[in-house]
Amino acid sequence: MDIEELAGKLAAGDRRALARAITLVESRRPDHRETATALLQRLAQQGRQALRLGLSGTPGVGKSTFIESFGMMLTGQGLRVAVLAVDPSSARSGGSILGDKTRMERLSRDPGAFIRPSPSQSQLGGVARRTREAVALCEAAGFDVVLIETVGVGQSETMVAQLSDLFLLLLAPAGGDELQGVKRGIMEMADLILVNKADGDLKPAAMRTCADYAGALRLLRRRPQDPEGFPKAMCVSALEEAGLEAAWNEMRALADWRREAGVFAAVRAQQARFWFAEEVRQGLLAALETGAAKLRMEALAGQVAEGRMTPALAAREMLALLGAEAGQGALPPSG
Amino acid sequence: MDIEELAGKLAAGDRRALARAITLVESRRPDHRETATALLQRLAQQGRQALRLGLSGTPGVGKSTFIESFGMMLTGQGLRVAVLAVDPSSARSGGSILGDKTRMERLSRDPGAFIRPSPSQSQLGGVARRTREAVALCEAAGFDVVLIETVGVGQSETMVAQLSDLFLLLLAPAGGDELQGVKRGIMEMADLILVNKADGDLKPAAMRTCADYAGALRLLRRRPQDPEGFPKAMCVSALEEAGLEAAWNEMRALADWRREAGVFAAVRAQQARFWFAEEVRQGLLAALETGAAKLRMEALAGQVAEGRMTPALAAREMLALLGAEAGQGALPPSG
């Protein structure tokens, strides 16, 4: 694949080129990785930026309906919207790709929208790293908003927060006055809590839930860089398409505020550092699985299994071979 | 510290020597680590074995009371019992060490028992690796049973299962007929489910809960190596010291069965492999935090933060410096 040609098509907003480029960054083949790295470096020079919105919500809160209604509202304003997913648990198949598109049928047919399911790696870190590169590709292709959705499982929210400019938490109305099992730490990450299903019979419950969360958010320490009133809880109805513009206005206001305060760029820089370190860590570990290192690992593991060496002693030998003894860097002194 | 002397005192069952040796393996100082590695290797030759029991249970199920009653029952039979903990969240202080001993006051005064709180590292992997070495020290000191307790949070059960010959799950009687939020995968790991508080008013609820779990366990595939009827659910009352001997008999029966089937040793060998690989992985990552590698990481991260390099390109450069390019082992070809 020719990088110049692909970059050109991407810059022109060609959706098939975008899909091909994402497939390229998701590939594990070393030559593909090399091409992907070169492509990303080339595109980074363009400096196009989208607003990156992270969205978390457990199954049942109406996430697909929300993304569809919210996305249609944005494309109705002439904005181009990409939807990506971070879902390490999804057993990816032709069926589930279809699934992602059928559960957002209208949006998937919208020429202003692009929907891409989660990459198929089983490790959360791998999924998130490749999604980060897909975000960069969507930006290069001129998308204005990139929505990165995740289901509220394990550490995936933390990863998505590291990919996002703003982090949205979608909730359903709660039955009573309890805060519905939102995991500790997730509420702290949210810039905007959206209580969905504020329609029909559920409207009163939604408003109560929203008030509960608004109260809880006031107890959290406001981020020093943010204006009064954030993080904020709001009611929306994805079904009746109500409250979506108001929510969008809040998102834009918060993003603008952060841009002016210089926080927006600073957070992106910190995130880039994070993903660099993550990529190095994972690359280093992957090197244990190939070539001479793999053979040596297997030989030492055999000695450990037979009880001839303790795990600690065998690890010490392996690390010495790798030039990574305790207290030394992994680089040779001349490095 | 003289290794020979320490090893000798350990073999004689000296508890102060045991405490000192555990402090040694928990230390992060490179010279301590070296001594610890040598000590562990030396002790491994002795071949003393305890029965390693992993125990998980969320707060409120009566874990401390259970450990105290169960431990006293064992020491009453002339067995020596060590209690270790894997709790990465514990903010360790003089207070909480005291806490661990005061919540098991009788057991901590028992000359046949040894109680040690969780090591103070913040990373679960580090806590578990050092606990594994503490288990080996307890075995060398002639303990018959090593209980490794953890609170049911995050991945700590998985780690404790990798440290244990048998994995016990302690539960409280449930209110209704629901299986109380036991995380997926935990029940699958349990060899024995113990429903505690089968006393007083709660006895009927405990018996119902036990029956529910017994039913649920029958739906799980039996491990091919285990006898009919395992995994098993039983009622106990730590408070009234009821059912503890029956539970202990089941544990011994299962352990004996596995020993005869050769499974006991095979699982330990697999666990040793796991901890070897884990030690290598963590050692490799730690090397990024020191010396020349650390300086280079910081320089590249600066370029990434300023947008002059993508995370992918910078990571590629760093991995090349470390000799860990994609598709190659981390060892030089001559290695």
Side-chain angles (χ1 to χ4, degrees), chain B residues 254-300:
Chain B
L254 183 56
D256 287 345
W257 178 288
R258 287 189 185 165
R259 273 197 198 92
E260 275 168 41
V263 173
F264 196 90
V267 169
R268 284 209 171 181
Q270 173 278 319
Q271 291 175 340
R273 276 176 182 271
F274 173 87
W275 291 107
F276 157 64
E278 185 67 15
E279 189 87 42
V280 172
R281 285 190 293 262
Q282 298 308 321
L284 207 49
L285 296 181
L288 288 176
E289 317 274 334
T290 48
K294 186 184 184 192
L295 294 176
R296 192 58 67 109
M297 281 294 281
E298 281 166 4
L300 285 167

Short mmCIF file of all heavy atoms in Angstrom, two decimals, chain B residues 254-300:
data_model
loop_
_atom_site.label_atom_id
_atom_site.label_comp_id
_atom_site.label_asym_id
_atom_site.label_seq_id
_atom_site.Cartn_x
_atom_site.Cartn_y
_atom_site.Cartn_z
N LEU B 254 -9.34 -33.69 49.39
CA LEU B 254 -9.11 -33.20 48.03
C LEU B 254 -7.62 -33.10 47.73
O LEU B 254 -7.16 -33.50 46.64
CB LEU B 254 -9.80 -31.84 47.85
CG LEU B 254 -9.72 -31.23 46.45
CD1 LEU B 254 -10.29 -32.18 45.40
CD2 LEU B 254 -10.47 -29.90 46.40
N ALA B 255 -6.86 -32.59 48.70
CA ALA B 255 -5.41 -32.46 48.49
C ALA B 255 -4.78 -33.84 48.31
O ALA B 255 -3.93 -34.03 47.41
CB ALA B 255 -4.77 -31.73 49.67
N ASP B 256 -5.20 -34.82 49.13
CA ASP B 256 -4.64 -36.17 49.01
C ASP B 256 -4.95 -36.76 47.64
O ASP B 256 -4.10 -37.38 46.99
CB ASP B 256 -5.20 -37.08 50.11
CG ASP B 256 -4.59 -36.75 51.48
OD1 ASP B 256 -3.56 -36.04 51.50
OD2 ASP B 256 -5.16 -37.19 52.50
N TRP B 257 -6.20 -36.60 47.24
CA TRP B 257 -6.62 -37.10 45.93
C TRP B 257 -5.73 -36.53 44.83
O TRP B 257 -5.24 -37.23 43.96
CB TRP B 257 -8.09 -36.74 45.69
CG TRP B 257 -8.63 -37.17 44.37
CD1 TRP B 257 -8.33 -36.62 43.15
CD2 TRP B 257 -9.54 -38.24 44.12
NE1 TRP B 257 -8.99 -37.26 42.17
CE2 TRP B 257 -9.75 -38.27 42.72
CE3 TRP B 257 -10.20 -39.17 44.93
CZ2 TRP B 257 -10.61 -39.18 42.12
CZ3 TRP B 257 -11.06 -40.09 44.33
CH2 TRP B 257 -11.26 -40.09 42.94
N ARG B 258 -5.53 -35.21 44.90
CA ARG B 258 -4.72 -34.57 43.85
C ARG B 258 -3.26 -35.01 43.92
O ARG B 258 -2.60 -35.13 42.90
CB ARG B 258 -4.80 -33.06 43.98
CG ARG B 258 -6.15 -32.52 43.54
CD ARG B 258 -6.13 -31.01 43.46
NE ARG B 258 -7.46 -30.52 43.16
CZ ARG B 258 -7.82 -29.24 43.31
NH1 ARG B 258 -6.95 -28.36 43.77
NH2 ARG B 258 -9.05 -28.85 43.01
N ARG B 259 -2.77 -35.24 45.13
CA ARG B 259 -1.39 -35.72 45.25
C ARG B 259 -1.24 -37.07 44.57
O ARG B 259 -0.32 -37.30 43.81
CB ARG B 259 -1.00 -35.85 46.72
CG ARG B 259 -0.45 -34.57 47.32
CD ARG B 259 0.32 -34.80 48.60
NE ARG B 259 0.43 -33.52 49.31
CZ ARG B 259 -0.43 -33.09 50.22
NH1 ARG B 259 -1.45 -33.85 50.59
NH2 ARG B 259 -0.27 -31.91 50.79
N GLU B 260 -2.21 -37.94 44.86
CA GLU B 260 -2.12 -39.28 44.27
C GLU B 260 -2.25 -39.25 42.75
O GLU B 260 -1.63 -40.04 42.05
CB GLU B 260 -3.19 -40.21 44.87
CG GLU B 260 -2.70 -40.82 46.17
CD GLU B 260 -3.82 -41.50 46.95
OE1 GLU B 260 -4.65 -42.17 46.31
OE2 GLU B 260 -3.87 -41.35 48.19
N ALA B 261 -3.08 -38.29 42.27
CA ALA B 261 -3.27 -38.19 40.83
C ALA B 261 -2.11 -37.48 40.13
O ALA B 261 -2.10 -37.36 38.91
CB ALA B 261 -4.59 -37.47 40.54
N GLY B 262 -1.16 -36.98 40.93
CA GLY B 262 -0.04 -36.25 40.33
C GLY B 262 -0.38 -34.82 39.97
O GLY B 262 0.45 -34.09 39.43
N VAL B 263 -1.62 -34.42 40.25
CA VAL B 263 -2.08 -33.09 39.87
C VAL B 263 -1.50 -32.02 40.79
O VAL B 263 -1.16 -30.92 40.37
CB VAL B 263 -3.62 -33.03 39.93
CG1 VAL B 263 -4.11 -31.62 39.70
CG2 VAL B 263 -4.21 -33.99 38.92
N PHE B 264 -1.35 -32.37 42.05
CA PHE B 264 -0.86 -31.43 43.05
C PHE B 264 0.49 -30.86 42.62
O PHE B 264 0.68 -29.64 42.53
CB PHE B 264 -0.73 -32.19 44.37
CG PHE B 264 -0.60 -31.31 45.58
CD1 PHE B 264 -1.74 -30.89 46.25
CD2 PHE B 264 0.64 -30.92 46.03
CE1 PHE B 264 -1.62 -30.08 47.38
CE2 PHE B 264 0.76 -30.12 47.15
CZ PHE B 264 -0.37 -29.70 47.83
N ALA B 265 1.41 -31.74 42.30
CA ALA B 265 2.76 -31.31 41.90
C ALA B 265 2.71 -30.59 40.56
O ALA B 265 3.43 -29.60 40.34
CB ALA B 265 3.69 -32.52 41.83
N ALA B 266 1.87 -31.05 39.65
CA ALA B 266 1.80 -30.43 38.32
C ALA B 266 1.31 -28.99 38.42
O ALA B 266 1.81 -28.10 37.74
CB ALA B 266 0.88 -31.25 37.41
N VAL B 267 0.32 -28.77 39.30
CA VAL B 267 -0.19 -27.40 39.47
C VAL B 267 0.88 -26.51 40.07
O VAL B 267 1.09 -25.38 39.64
CB VAL B 267 -1.47 -27.40 40.33
CG1 VAL B 267 -1.85 -25.99 40.72
CG2 VAL B 267 -2.61 -28.08 39.58
N ARG B 268 1.60 -27.03 41.05
CA ARG B 268 2.67 -26.22 41.64
C ARG B 268 3.74 -25.87 40.60
O ARG B 268 4.27 -24.76 40.58
CB ARG B 268 3.33 -26.96 42.81
CG ARG B 268 2.48 -26.92 44.05
CD ARG B 268 3.35 -27.00 45.29
NE ARG B 268 2.54 -26.76 46.48
CZ ARG B 268 3.04 -26.74 47.71
NH1 ARG B 268 4.33 -26.94 47.90
NH2 ARG B 268 2.25 -26.52 48.74
N ALA B 269 4.04 -26.82 39.73
CA ALA B 269 5.04 -26.55 38.69
C ALA B 269 4.54 -25.46 37.75
O ALA B 269 5.28 -24.54 37.38
CB ALA B 269 5.35 -27.84 37.92
N GLN B 270 3.27 -25.54 37.39
CA GLN B 270 2.70 -24.51 36.50
C GLN B 270 2.72 -23.15 37.20
O GLN B 270 3.00 -22.12 36.57
CB GLN B 270 1.27 -24.94 36.12
CG GLN B 270 0.47 -23.90 35.32
CD GLN B 270 -0.17 -22.86 36.22
OE1 GLN B 270 -0.69 -23.19 37.28
NE2 GLN B 270 -0.12 -21.59 35.83
N GLN B 271 2.42 -23.15 38.49
CA GLN B 271 2.45 -21.88 39.24
C GLN B 271 3.85 -21.30 39.28
O GLN B 271 4.03 -20.08 39.12
CB GLN B 271 1.93 -22.10 40.66
CG GLN B 271 0.44 -22.41 40.72
CD GLN B 271 -0.04 -22.75 42.13
OE1 GLN B 271 0.78 -23.10 43.00
NE2 GLN B 271 -1.33 -22.65 42.36
N ALA B 272 4.84 -22.15 39.47
CA ALA B 272 6.23 -21.66 39.51
C ALA B 272 6.60 -21.03 38.18
O ALA B 272 7.22 -19.96 38.12
CB ALA B 272 7.18 -22.81 39.85
N ARG B 273 6.17 -21.65 37.08
CA ARG B 273 6.37 -21.07 35.75
C ARG B 273 5.72 -19.68 35.66
O ARG B 273 6.30 -18.74 35.15
CB ARG B 273 5.69 -21.92 34.67
CG ARG B 273 6.47 -23.08 34.17
CD ARG B 273 5.58 -23.87 33.18
NE ARG B 273 6.23 -25.04 32.69
CZ ARG B 273 7.01 -25.04 31.60
NH1 ARG B 273 7.19 -23.95 30.90
NH2 ARG B 273 7.62 -26.15 31.22
N PHE B 274 4.49 -19.61 36.13
CA PHE B 274 3.76 -18.34 36.08
C PHE B 274 4.54 -17.24 36.81
O PHE B 274 4.72 -16.14 36.30
CB PHE B 274 2.37 -18.50 36.70
CG PHE B 274 1.61 -17.21 36.85
CD1 PHE B 274 0.83 -16.71 35.82
CD2 PHE B 274 1.68 -16.48 38.04
CE1 PHE B 274 0.14 -15.51 35.96
CE2 PHE B 274 0.99 -15.28 38.19
CZ PHE B 274 0.22 -14.80 37.14
N TRP B 275 5.03 -17.54 38.02
CA TRP B 275 5.70 -16.50 38.80
C TRP B 275 7.06 -16.14 38.24
O TRP B 275 7.52 -15.01 38.36
CB TRP B 275 5.77 -16.90 40.28
CG TRP B 275 4.41 -16.90 40.88
CD1 TRP B 275 3.66 -17.98 41.22
CD2 TRP B 275 3.59 -15.75 41.15
NE1 TRP B 275 2.43 -17.58 41.69
CE2 TRP B 275 2.36 -16.21 41.66
CE3 TRP B 275 3.78 -14.38 41.01
CZ2 TRP B 275 1.33 -15.36 42.03
CZ3 TRP B 275 2.75 -13.52 41.37
CH2 TRP B 275 1.54 -14.02 41.87
N PHE B 276 7.70 -17.13 37.61
CA PHE B 276 8.95 -16.82 36.91
C PHE B 276 8.69 -15.80 35.80
O PHE B 276 9.34 -14.76 35.73
CB PHE B 276 9.55 -18.12 36.34
CG PHE B 276 10.49 -17.91 35.20
CD1 PHE B 276 11.68 -17.22 35.37
CD2 PHE B 276 10.17 -18.40 33.93
CE1 PHE B 276 12.54 -17.02 34.30
CE2 PHE B 276 11.03 -18.20 32.86
CZ PHE B 276 12.21 -17.51 33.04
N ALA B 277 7.69 -16.08 34.97
CA ALA B 277 7.40 -15.17 33.85
C ALA B 277 6.98 -13.79 34.36
O ALA B 277 7.38 -12.76 33.81
CB ALA B 277 6.31 -15.77 32.96
N GLU B 278 6.22 -13.80 35.44
CA GLU B 278 5.75 -12.54 36.01
C GLU B 278 6.94 -11.72 36.54
O GLU B 278 7.01 -10.50 36.35
CB GLU B 278 4.77 -12.86 37.15
CG GLU B 278 4.09 -11.69 37.80
CD GLU B 278 3.12 -10.96 36.89
OE1 GLU B 278 2.76 -11.51 35.83
OE2 GLU B 278 2.76 -9.83 37.23
N GLU B 279 7.87 -12.42 37.18
CA GLU B 279 9.05 -11.73 37.72
C GLU B 279 9.89 -11.14 36.58
O GLU B 279 10.40 -10.02 36.70
CB GLU B 279 9.87 -12.75 38.53
CG GLU B 279 11.00 -12.18 39.34
CD GLU B 279 10.57 -11.73 40.73
OE1 GLU B 279 9.79 -12.44 41.38
OE2 GLU B 279 11.02 -10.65 41.15
N VAL B 280 10.01 -11.87 35.50
CA VAL B 280 10.77 -11.35 34.35
C VAL B 280 10.06 -10.12 33.77
O VAL B 280 10.67 -9.08 33.53
CB VAL B 280 10.95 -12.43 33.26
CG1 VAL B 280 11.56 -11.82 32.00
CG2 VAL B 280 11.81 -13.56 33.77
N ARG B 281 8.76 -10.24 33.57
CA ARG B 281 8.01 -9.13 32.99
C ARG B 281 8.16 -7.86 33.83
O ARG B 281 8.45 -6.79 33.32
CB ARG B 281 6.52 -9.49 32.86
CG ARG B 281 6.24 -10.47 31.72
CD ARG B 281 4.73 -10.60 31.47
NE ARG B 281 4.03 -11.25 32.56
CZ ARG B 281 3.69 -12.54 32.58
NH1 ARG B 281 4.01 -13.32 31.57
NH2 ARG B 281 3.04 -13.04 33.60
N GLN B 282 7.99 -8.02 35.15
CA GLN B 282 8.05 -6.84 36.00
C GLN B 282 9.47 -6.29 36.08
O GLN B 282 9.66 -5.08 36.14
CB GLN B 282 7.50 -7.16 37.40
CG GLN B 282 6.04 -7.57 37.40
CD GLN B 282 5.15 -6.56 36.67
OE1 GLN B 282 5.33 -5.37 36.78
NE2 GLN B 282 4.19 -7.07 35.90
N GLY B 283 10.46 -7.19 36.07
CA GLY B 283 11.85 -6.74 36.10
C GLY B 283 12.20 -5.97 34.85
O GLY B 283 12.91 -4.95 34.89
N LEU B 284 11.69 -6.43 33.72
CA LEU B 284 11.95 -5.77 32.44
C LEU B 284 11.35 -4.37 32.45
O LEU B 284 11.99 -3.40 32.04
CB LEU B 284 11.33 -6.63 31.34
CG LEU B 284 11.91 -6.57 29.94
CD1 LEU B 284 13.41 -6.74 29.95
CD2 LEU B 284 11.26 -7.65 29.08
N LEU B 285 10.12 -4.27 32.93
CA LEU B 285 9.47 -2.95 32.97
C LEU B 285 10.18 -2.03 33.96
O LEU B 285 10.31 -0.83 33.72
CB LEU B 285 7.99 -3.10 33.34
CG LEU B 285 7.15 -3.86 32.32
CD1 LEU B 285 5.70 -3.93 32.78
CD2 LEU B 285 7.23 -3.23 30.94
N ALA B 286 10.64 -2.61 35.06
CA ALA B 286 11.32 -1.78 36.08
C ALA B 286 12.59 -1.18 35.50
O ALA B 286 12.99 -0.08 35.88
CB ALA B 286 11.63 -2.62 37.31
N ALA B 287 13.22 -1.91 34.56
CA ALA B 287 14.47 -1.40 33.98
C ALA B 287 14.23 -0.12 33.18
O ALA B 287 15.16 0.66 32.96
CB ALA B 287 15.09 -2.47 33.08
N LEU B 288 12.99 0.11 32.75
CA LEU B 288 12.69 1.36 32.04
C LEU B 288 12.75 2.56 32.97
O LEU B 288 12.79 3.70 32.53
CB LEU B 288 11.28 1.30 31.43
CG LEU B 288 11.06 0.39 30.24
CD1 LEU B 288 9.59 0.40 29.86
CD2 LEU B 288 11.90 0.87 29.07
N GLU B 289 12.72 2.30 34.26
CA GLU B 289 12.62 3.39 35.24
C GLU B 289 13.98 3.77 35.81
O GLU B 289 14.06 4.55 36.76
CB GLU B 289 11.71 2.97 36.41
CG GLU B 289 10.44 2.24 36.01
CD GLU B 289 9.33 3.21 35.68
OE1 GLU B 289 9.36 4.33 36.22
OE2 GLU B 289 8.44 2.86 34.89
N THR B 290 15.04 3.19 35.27
CA THR B 290 16.36 3.47 35.85
C THR B 290 17.38 3.74 34.76
O THR B 290 17.22 3.31 33.62
CB THR B 290 16.88 2.27 36.68
OG1 THR B 290 16.72 1.08 35.89
CG2 THR B 290 16.15 2.12 37.99
N GLY B 291 18.43 4.46 35.13
CA GLY B 291 19.62 4.61 34.32
C GLY B 291 19.39 5.25 32.96
O GLY B 291 18.54 6.12 32.79
N ALA B 292 20.17 4.76 31.98
CA ALA B 292 20.15 5.35 30.64
C ALA B 292 18.77 5.20 30.00
O ALA B 292 18.31 6.10 29.29
CB ALA B 292 21.22 4.68 29.77
N ALA B 293 18.11 4.08 30.27
CA ALA B 293 16.79 3.85 29.66
C ALA B 293 15.80 4.90 30.12
O ALA B 293 15.00 5.43 29.35
CB ALA B 293 16.29 2.45 30.01
N LYS B 294 15.87 5.24 31.39
CA LYS B 294 14.95 6.24 31.93
C LYS B 294 15.17 7.60 31.27
O LYS B 294 14.22 8.27 30.86
CB LYS B 294 15.15 6.34 33.44
CG LYS B 294 14.13 7.24 34.10
CD LYS B 294 14.40 7.42 35.58
CE LYS B 294 13.31 8.25 36.22
NZ LYS B 294 13.66 8.68 37.57
N LEU B 295 16.43 7.97 31.13
CA LEU B 295 16.75 9.26 30.51
C LEU B 295 16.23 9.31 29.07
O LEU B 295 15.65 10.29 28.63
CB LEU B 295 18.27 9.50 30.52
CG LEU B 295 18.88 9.66 31.92
CD1 LEU B 295 20.39 9.79 31.81
CD2 LEU B 295 18.28 10.88 32.63
N ARG B 296 16.43 8.20 28.35
CA ARG B 296 16.00 8.17 26.97
C ARG B 296 14.47 8.20 26.88
O ARG B 296 13.90 8.89 26.02
CB ARG B 296 16.55 6.90 26.29
CG ARG B 296 16.39 6.90 24.79
CD ARG B 296 17.09 8.10 24.15
NE ARG B 296 18.52 8.01 24.29
CZ ARG B 296 19.36 7.77 23.27
NH1 ARG B 296 18.90 7.68 22.05
NH2 ARG B 296 20.65 7.67 23.48
N MET B 297 13.83 7.50 27.77
CA MET B 297 12.36 7.53 27.82
C MET B 297 11.87 8.96 28.00
O MET B 297 10.95 9.42 27.33
CB MET B 297 11.83 6.68 28.99
CG MET B 297 11.79 5.18 28.77
SD MET B 297 10.62 4.64 27.52
CE MET B 297 9.05 4.73 28.43
N GLU B 298 12.52 9.67 28.92
CA GLU B 298 12.07 11.04 29.21
C GLU B 298 12.28 11.95 28.01
O GLU B 298 11.43 12.78 27.69
CB GLU B 298 12.81 11.57 30.44
CG GLU B 298 12.22 11.03 31.74
CD GLU B 298 13.10 11.26 32.95
OE1 GLU B 298 14.16 11.90 32.81
OE2 GLU B 298 12.75 10.77 34.04
N ALA B 299 13.42 11.78 27.35
CA ALA B 299 13.71 12.63 26.19
C ALA B 299 12.67 12.38 25.08
O ALA B 299 12.12 13.32 24.50
CB ALA B 299 15.12 12.35 25.68
N LEU B 300 12.39 11.11 24.82
CA LEU B 300 11.42 10.78 23.77
C LEU B 300 10.02 11.25 24.16
O LEU B 300 9.28 11.76 23.33
CB LEU B 300 11.45 9.28 23.48
CG LEU B 300 12.65 8.79 22.67
CD1 LEU B 300 12.74 7.27 22.70
CD2 LEU B 300 12.55 9.28 21.22
#
